[in-house]
Amino acid sequence: MVVKKPRIVIVGAGMAGLTAANKLHSVTASKDLFEVCVVEGGSRIGGRINTSEFCGDQIELGATWIHGIGGSPLHKIAQQTHSLLSDKPWECMDGNSSDQTTITIAEGGFHLDPSIVNPITRLFKNLMDHAQGKNQKNNITERDTTARGDEFLHSFCKKVSTRVGSAGLSIGLDAYWDSSKDQEEFKGCGIWNRKLLEEAIFAMHENTQRTYTSAGDLLNLDYNAESEYQMFPGEEITIAKGYLSIIEYLASALPPGVIQLGRKVTRIQWQPERHEQNGFCSSRPVKLHFCDGSVMHADHVIITVSLGVLKAAIGDDQGMFQPPLPNYKAEAISRLGFGVVNKLFMQLSPTTHHCKDGHHRPKRFPYLQLVFHSPHSEMRHKKIPWWMRRSPTLCPIYKNSSVLLCWFAGEEAKALESLKDEEIINGASDTFSSFRCSGYSYNEVKFSKVLKTKWATDPLFLGSYSYVAVGSSGEDFDTMAEPLPRESTSSPPLQILFAGEATHRTHYSTTHGAYFSGLREANRLLQHYHCLGIYNN
Ligand SMILES: Cc1cc2nc3c(=O)[nH]c(=O)nc-3n(C[C@H](O)[C@H](O)[C@H](O)COP(=O)(O)OP(=O)(O)OC[C@H]3O[C@@H](n4cnc5c(N)ncnc54)[C@H](O)[C@@H]3O)c2cc1C
Ligand SMILES: *[C@@H]1O[C@H](CO)[C@@H](O)[C@H](O)[C@H]1NC(C)=O
Ligand SMILES: *[C@@H]1O[C@H](CO)[C@@H](O)[C@H](O)[C@H]1NC(C)=O
Ligand SMILES: *[C@@H]1O[C@H](CO)[C@@H](O)[C@H](O)[C@H]1NC(C)=O
């Protein structure tokens, strides 16, 4: 009898899946040890990396930044492949670099002086650092006595400090709020007073944090566990030739036919225990079913689908796994958070861009920070739709671009997905006409075209990225990463392996987290077959 090569099927051609395939191939190809294939449900590779085009500009619909270049394996690949340089402009968000000032503007069109914005910015940063255990020694109450808190801030901090278990955080926050100035009208800001402004600036930072973490509600973040999250040092940059160039590099090493597109897996049958008569017509223990009715047998399956897809897969009795995943695994999947973050690209109509000085030179659109009244405030402009109210910034994707970008999180991000382009154009135009002010004629801002991402409704993703929700912990990421069946059983080992962003305890939510997880699972199999020592080093 001919001994069959072990067959490894990788589900998903995103960063994790292609990294695993690349690693398995590069270590063992010359020895022809395995049969490896990547089955991808969509019609393209990249997953949550999707470099695309809008109005002639290159844009990123998913992953955008290399979060810290120091030690990042993806930065290294980008350097090696010369992906960090391009003749054409790209989404580099250089509008807030030093030669271009950030403008903070409050609803109604009031430019806010850095002297009011910066103390709140510092307060927020300190609060977040403290909550995440980054500067435990730092007594935030003494950091900046000119900034003031308010009821909202106070209760926010209290909740954070309850989570953190640190009394120090809430003590003395009243010191931020100099009550003698409560009723002070803020100069030139009409319906704003200082307290309202500070609250609203704080909320703007909260909203930025929502897009960073994908937690729709920051109080649903477990700050303690989030403190395990690791950043690479150094700059955060975007990739000139597009994030997809890294994906293409990883895929280019694979022989034709290894990656199979349009192969959506609907069911995975595995064998937690050995049955003498298991009904499988193959010696390979795992059987995959595809949406077209076809099946495939495998010795090992590396699952890289998103946490959102996994949550749906365990959601009902007819779930993806048969038998269902063990409880400890399913519980980790349901405890961890998976939020929605979407990007909205808007093209400024050509008539928007003219200076008042008679020159017909286009004027650069600034890097705007938007300060909204609270959604419940009586002072709010009623024309601004609720789903626009928590978008903290609006800026061109590079200095000169006529394409502006806005980030959305949580409920607002979900709502955006179901809106018609026309509703978005109208809502955005109404919003920016409420921000009209001197310096730039915001009342002239008109949008001709929009493009939004739809990560929550796309059945291949069902959300954007993971976070540590209250009730979960870093351990849940480790549980996510555990292969099945557990080693103690007598059935064939390593039938189902788990990779993907949401299986990495310290780099979750990122492309490099996905990358590391793909390497980890490839190495697990290589080690199992005793390949690592022989071929790797
Ligand atoms: C809007 C947005 C912005 C982001 N910004 C950044 C950023 O700036 N920096 C950063 O580091 N990260 C960012 N991320 C996160 C980053 O994109 C992800 O962490 C990473 O790409 C995840 O890779 P993955 O391989 O784990 O999963 P995925 O890329 O989701 O790959 C899984 C693959 O599985 C496929 N699949 C799903 N179900 C099935 C099925 N049933 N059968 C077959 N195939 C299936 C999917 O189509 C997909 O291709 C962002 C994400 C989003 C959505
Ligand atoms: C990826 O981008 C293409 C356009 O370039 C688009 O058609 C497709 O819907 C995008 N996929 C996702 C999941 O956003
Ligand atoms: C923090 O500041 C408060 C108020 O100024 C003070 O009472 C407290 O002792 C300080 N705590 C530490 C740890 O320095
Ligand atoms: C930006 O616009 C200016 C003025 O129109 C132009 O001279 C310059 O070449 C543009 N730069 C880019 C990168 O498009």
Side-chain angles (χ1 to χ4, degrees), residues 5 39 90 95 142 218 248 260 283 327 368 374 458 504 506:
K5 285 184 282 182
V39 292
W90 70 98
E142 289 171 351
L218 287 187
E248 279 163 353
Q260 304 175 11
S283 58
N327 279 341
L368 277 187
S374 109
D458 191 321
H504 200 287
T506 55

Side-chain angles (χ1 to χ4, degrees), residues 53-58 88-89 398 403:
E53 208 191 82
F54 178 64
C55 303
D57 279 341
Q58 176 185 293
K88 289 182 291 178
Y398 55 89
V403 174

Side-chain angles (χ1 to χ4, degrees), residues 227-261:
S227 68
E228 289 190 59
Y229 179 85
Q230 282 172 16
M231 281 281 288
F232 286 125
E235 274 182 285
E236 300 195 67
I237 58 166
T238 60
I239 302 172
K241 291 216 176 79
Y243 236 114
L244 205 57
S245 60
I246 297 184
I247 289 290
E248 279 163 353
Y249 165 79
L250 292 169
S252 66
L254 304 173
V258 167
I259 302 173
Q260 304 175 11
L261 300 177

Side-chain angles (χ1 to χ4, degrees), residues 137 139 141-142 171-172:
K137 285 194 195 114
N139 190 339
T141 67
E142 289 171 351
I171 297 172

Side-chain angles (χ1 to χ4, degrees), residues 268-318:
I268 298 171
Q269 284 175 285
W270 60 294
Q271 301 183 38
E273 272 143 72
R274 186 182 289 284
H275 299 292
E276 286 314 324
Q277 294 167 326
N278 53 37
F280 288 121
C281 52
S282 157
S283 58
R284 307 190 196 271
V286 190
K287 185 175 177 184
L288 296 109
H289 298 252
F290 294 90
C291 57
D292 62 0
S294 62
V295 299
M296 194 187 252
H297 296 272
D299 295 281
H300 310 284
V301 175
I302 304 179
I303 306 274
T304 74
V305 304
S306 76
L307 179 57
V309 171
L310 284 177
K311 279 174 186 284
I314 60 164
D316 59 279
D317 297 333
Q318 299 304 309

Side-chain angles (χ1 to χ4, degrees), residues 44 47 50-53 61-62 453-455 458 461:
R44 56 175 187 92
N50 193 2
T51 308
S52 189
E53 208 191 82
L61 296 179
T453 60
K454 294 170 77 169
W455 293 104
D458 191 321
F461 302 96

